[in-house]
Amino acid sequence: MGLQVYNTLSGRKEPFVTLTPGKVNMYVCGVTAYDYCHIGHARSAMVFDVIRNYLEYKGYTVVFVKNFTDVDDKIIKRAQQEGVSTRKVAEKYMQAHDDDMQRLGIRPPDIAPKATEHIEDMLHIVKTLVQKGIAYPVDGDVYFSVKKFPGYGKLSGRNVDDMRAGARIEVDERKQDPLDFALWKASKPGEPFWESPWGPGRPGWHIECSAMSSKYLDATFDIHGGGKDLIFPHHENEIAQSEAFSGKPFVKYWLHNGFLSINQEKMSKSLGNFFTIREVLGKFSSETIRLLMLSTHYRSPLDYSDTRLEEAASALKRFYNTFSDVRELQALIRPGVVSASIKPEKLAQAAELPTQLELLSRKFEEAMDDDFNTAAAIGTLFDMLKAINATVRLLAVEQVLSVEILTMIEKGIETVKALARILGFRFNEQDQMGAETEQTLVNQLMTLLLELRKEARAQKNWAMADRIRDGIAQLGIQIKDHPSGESTWILKS
């Protein structure tokens, strides 16, 4: 059947056929560089990292572009708060982003353009839209006229009249229509600016992705990705301004990953359940996080919690335990290339392993061909481990040293690792086991301390409860008390 992908634009799965045979041009919206990346960014990054890997596995040449927004209202606000330049703020958090992605095992994009390096490209699009009468200037701002683009709402499935009826009264009265959005903004005193035909200003948020994607991938390209929260208005506006500018379809396939919640609540700083990537990496390994993220289909919502990460860590150990068992067999058999006889029926039983693994490899591909179903693909990897472990136990029970069977097992391990690499797992065993051991000990100690503090509070021994909290805080660990009476902990950034 071949690869099928769910296209947000059509609302259904479609056969994947690229614009240029053998090549995929792919653009994913990056971060606004004003703060440390949170765990929701990790999910999106891992999703599109895997999609890129699988497309390459299928034989495509992939050009992967992911941008940085390095000028924005939030960046300006952070710069004013810290008394530094917007450039310094953006550079700090772009570097932090790259560090986080490296620690998560995310491959860097082929091209990582910054908005401020493409101002002329954006101005060219805005000027053209004004000349076409699709955009209009007002007091140094330039707005896109939604009425002039008949296809507005086709990605999100929203009705323009319904959106207009629901628009708030306090919408900028200078706009011809409440739905019109800014392509260019006049700069306020003290803000960064660039010269334009309408006076000093800076780009609107949406225009940067249209400019950078078309520059590096052409006016029409294969895949545009991002989180579901970007469908409207960001991606809807990208389509409108890009297609109005070029007169061509903007993107063939729109892919969006689902929302992430924390303990079944929306992630929010005000709720105290906002976790940065570096905080989570202080408690769990990158591969544990990856296993949790990919164990749910990318379009489905994902509920994140320490409990689910602990479960993922336990599941991940099944890989390492199998690898360890095979190393023990190799130490027994390979050094002297020792081999012993084995009953024919047992040899026949072991000989089924390559066939089992071949069938499971096809199941892995079938899962990934079904809109990148990583959850099902991971299931086949565990089935492979089960088959390999059965063969390992066969050698142990029969107490024979068979080079022939060991070779089958070794090839099985190679198959598991090769398919797992598509999902981003590298299985650096020495580093992983050491890190997991340390993290397990820390988690167990923290669980004990929180239980002792909970008991102290229940007994109204506030002095002891505060002593535990303050002592932990001195170690750089913050306790968060929740209305339910439970407490959680995070490493301070």
PDB file of all heavy atoms in Angstrom, residues 62 80 167-168 184 277 280:
ATOM      1  N   VAL A  62      15.920  14.067   2.049  1.00  0.00           N
ATOM      2  CA  VAL A  62      15.085  15.034   2.780  1.00  0.00           C
ATOM      3  C   VAL A  62      15.864  16.322   3.017  1.00  0.00           C
ATOM      4  O   VAL A  62      16.991  16.290   3.513  1.00  0.00           O
ATOM      5  CB  VAL A  62      14.624  14.456   4.143  1.00  0.00           C
ATOM      6  CG1 VAL A  62      13.763  15.472   4.889  1.00  0.00           C
ATOM      7  CG2 VAL A  62      13.859  13.150   3.932  1.00  0.00           C
ATOM      8  N   GLN A  80      13.491  43.791  27.880  1.00  0.00           N
ATOM      9  CA  GLN A  80      13.223  44.943  28.741  1.00  0.00           C
ATOM     10  C   GLN A  80      13.299  44.561  30.209  1.00  0.00           C
ATOM     11  O   GLN A  80      13.818  45.319  31.036  1.00  0.00           O
ATOM     12  CB  GLN A  80      11.847  45.517  28.398  1.00  0.00           C
ATOM     13  CG  GLN A  80      11.783  46.166  27.017  1.00  0.00           C
ATOM     14  CD  GLN A  80      10.373  46.520  26.580  1.00  0.00           C
ATOM     15  OE1 GLN A  80       9.378  46.025  27.144  1.00  0.00           O
ATOM     16  NE2 GLN A  80      10.256  47.387  25.570  1.00  0.00           N
ATOM     17  N   ALA A 167     -15.711  37.839  16.501  1.00  0.00           N
ATOM     18  CA  ALA A 167     -14.598  38.756  16.791  1.00  0.00           C
ATOM     19  C   ALA A 167     -14.986  39.741  17.884  1.00  0.00           C
ATOM     20  O   ALA A 167     -16.113  40.220  17.940  1.00  0.00           O
ATOM     21  CB  ALA A 167     -14.194  39.503  15.528  1.00  0.00           C
ATOM     22  N   ARG A 168     -14.042  40.068  18.738  1.00  0.00           N
ATOM     23  CA  ARG A 168     -14.316  40.988  19.843  1.00  0.00           C
ATOM     24  C   ARG A 168     -14.430  42.432  19.352  1.00  0.00           C
ATOM     25  O   ARG A 168     -13.789  42.842  18.389  1.00  0.00           O
ATOM     26  CB  ARG A 168     -13.206  40.888  20.893  1.00  0.00           C
ATOM     27  CG  ARG A 168     -13.110  39.489  21.515  1.00  0.00           C
ATOM     28  CD  ARG A 168     -12.079  39.457  22.609  1.00  0.00           C
ATOM     29  NE  ARG A 168     -10.764  39.857  22.124  1.00  0.00           N
ATOM     30  CZ  ARG A 168      -9.703  40.021  22.908  1.00  0.00           C
ATOM     31  NH1 ARG A 168      -9.823  39.844  24.207  1.00  0.00           N
ATOM     32  NH2 ARG A 168      -8.542  40.377  22.392  1.00  0.00           N
ATOM     33  N   TRP A 184       3.303  43.451   8.797  1.00  0.00           N
ATOM     34  CA  TRP A 184       4.405  44.332   9.210  1.00  0.00           C
ATOM     35  C   TRP A 184       3.894  45.232  10.316  1.00  0.00           C
ATOM     36  O   TRP A 184       2.756  45.695  10.277  1.00  0.00           O
ATOM     37  CB  TRP A 184       4.890  45.171   8.015  1.00  0.00           C
ATOM     38  CG  TRP A 184       6.113  45.983   8.300  1.00  0.00           C
ATOM     39  CD1 TRP A 184       6.141  47.318   8.603  1.00  0.00           C
ATOM     40  CD2 TRP A 184       7.468  45.535   8.303  1.00  0.00           C
ATOM     41  NE1 TRP A 184       7.440  47.728   8.805  1.00  0.00           N
ATOM     42  CE2 TRP A 184       8.284  46.652   8.611  1.00  0.00           C
ATOM     43  CE3 TRP A 184       8.076  44.307   8.062  1.00  0.00           C
ATOM     44  CZ2 TRP A 184       9.667  46.554   8.704  1.00  0.00           C
ATOM     45  CZ3 TRP A 184       9.460  44.212   8.153  1.00  0.00           C
ATOM     46  CH2 TRP A 184      10.243  45.336   8.468  1.00  0.00           C
ATOM     47  N   ILE A 277      12.610  21.246  29.390  1.00  0.00           N
ATOM     48  CA  ILE A 277      13.301  20.028  28.975  1.00  0.00           C
ATOM     49  C   ILE A 277      14.462  19.733  29.915  1.00  0.00           C
ATOM     50  O   ILE A 277      14.677  18.584  30.331  1.00  0.00           O
ATOM     51  CB  ILE A 277      13.796  20.169  27.528  1.00  0.00           C
ATOM     52  CG1 ILE A 277      12.605  20.156  26.558  1.00  0.00           C
ATOM     53  CG2 ILE A 277      14.780  19.062  27.168  1.00  0.00           C
ATOM     54  CD1 ILE A 277      12.967  20.484  25.127  1.00  0.00           C
ATOM     55  N   VAL A 280      13.348  18.119  33.170  1.00  0.00           N
ATOM     56  CA  VAL A 280      12.980  16.710  33.026  1.00  0.00           C
ATOM     57  C   VAL A 280      14.212  15.850  32.804  1.00  0.00           C
ATOM     58  O   VAL A 280      14.319  14.741  33.353  1.00  0.00           O
ATOM     59  CB  VAL A 280      11.975  16.536  31.875  1.00  0.00           C
ATOM     60  CG1 VAL A 280      11.609  15.066  31.708  1.00  0.00           C
ATOM     61  CG2 VAL A 280      10.713  17.361  32.140  1.00  0.00           C
TER      62      VAL A 280
END
